[in-house]
Amino acid sequence: MTISESSTTNLTHEERIDIVRTHFQNKGYRVHSGLQFGVELVLYSDIPSKVHSDFCVHVPHDNVGKLDWRMIQTLVRSMPSIKKTLIVAHVKEKKMDGNNRSSDGSGDDAQQQQLVKERYVVHELAISSEHAPFRHKSIPKGVGTQTKPQPKNNE
């Protein structure tokens, strides 16, 4: 992943998605495409064959702090039927002095990921409606709450 040296307003949508993907992977989620739910990413707390995802992540195209209310309304209305909570993730550039900036976009993937962690921050806004997985249990057990039934072995 190569991140341009320009501000977040000049990041491509794909670059923002990559930054958000790395952000949630660093938090311990398994991150997959959210295309089937109309969002950019879906978060799993474990292997998708064992658990359902609890969160859909929308990364806005316009990252200057404006949200398209029609898009948010559409996404929020669909979340209860698919039993997910919507997270809107904004990528913002950290305020840094000139000594912390990389001079070019070259380097291996680990260096690029470190640059992303040092240079950008992801602001999360969770928007829930009738279904909010973190409200169903008084004692959270891990990251997600929707466990798929596992087939029993008939030995």
Side-chain angles (χ1 to χ4, degrees), residues 116-132:
V116 167
K117 284 177 73 173
E118 292 173 2
R119 185 153 182 213
Y120 299 100
V121 64
V122 176
H123 293 279
E124 304 170 26
L125 173 64
I127 303 172
S128 64
S129 51
E130 294 174 13
H131 173 75

Side-chain angles (χ1 to χ4, degrees), residues 5-41:
E5 286 296 314
S6 58
S7 69
T8 56
T9 56
N10 292 331
L11 288 174
T12 67
H13 191 235
E14 290 74 23
E15 287 173 328
R16 284 192 209 105
I17 292 170
D18 285 341
I19 292 168
V20 171
R21 179 185 309 276
T22 301
H23 169 77
F24 283 112
Q25 286 171 339
N26 290 339
K27 285 185 157 198
Y29 288 100
R30 294 176 185 261
V31 184
H32 291 261
S33 169
L35 183 62
Q36 67 183 2
F37 300 115
V39 294
E40 285 76 14
L41 303 170

Side-chain angles (χ1 to χ4, degrees), residues 9-145:
T9 56
N10 292 331
L11 288 174
T12 67
H13 191 235
E14 290 74 23
E15 287 173 328
R16 284 192 209 105
I17 292 170
D18 285 341
I19 292 168
V20 171
R21 179 185 309 276
T22 301
H23 169 77
F24 283 112
Q25 286 171 339
N26 290 339
K27 285 185 157 198
Y29 288 100
R30 294 176 185 261
V31 184
H32 291 261
S33 169
L35 183 62
Q36 67 183 2
F37 300 115
V39 294
E40 285 76 14
L41 303 170
V42 176
L43 307 180
Y44 291 88
S45 62
D46 202 348
I47 301 168
S49 63
K50 290 185 177 182
V51 297
H52 291 284
S53 62
D54 282 323
F55 303 100
C56 287
V57 181
H58 172 62
V59 181
H61 287 273
D62 179 11
N63 214 29
V64 294
K66 295 179 183 177
L67 293 175
D68 178 7
W69 68 269
R70 287 183 181 106
M71 172 64 83
I72 299 302
Q73 178 68 11
T74 301
L75 291 171
V76 168
R77 285 185 63 117
S78 67
M79 293 298 122
S81 63
I82 59 175
K83 297 184 177 161
K84 310 236 181 297
T85 298
L86 177 66
I87 297 175
V88 178
H90 278 282
V91 177
K92 298 291 182 188
E93 190 168 18
K94 291 180 182 178
K95 303 248 189 255
M96 304 170 83
D97 61 13
N99 297 331
N100 293 338
R101 291 186 184 262
S102 173
S103 59
D104 63 10
S106 63
D108 64 8
D109 203 35
Q111 288 173 332
Q112 287 296 323
Q113 286 184 1
Q114 185 62 31
L115 175 64
V116 167
K117 284 177 73 173
E118 292 173 2
R119 185 153 182 213
Y120 299 100
V121 64
V122 176
H123 293 279
E124 304 170 26
L125 173 64
I127 303 172
S128 64
S129 51
E130 294 174 13
H131 173 75
F134 45 85
R135 291 189 196 156
H136 290 306
K137 308 237 185 232
S138 58
I139 301 172
K141 296 180 182 179
V143 180
T145 58

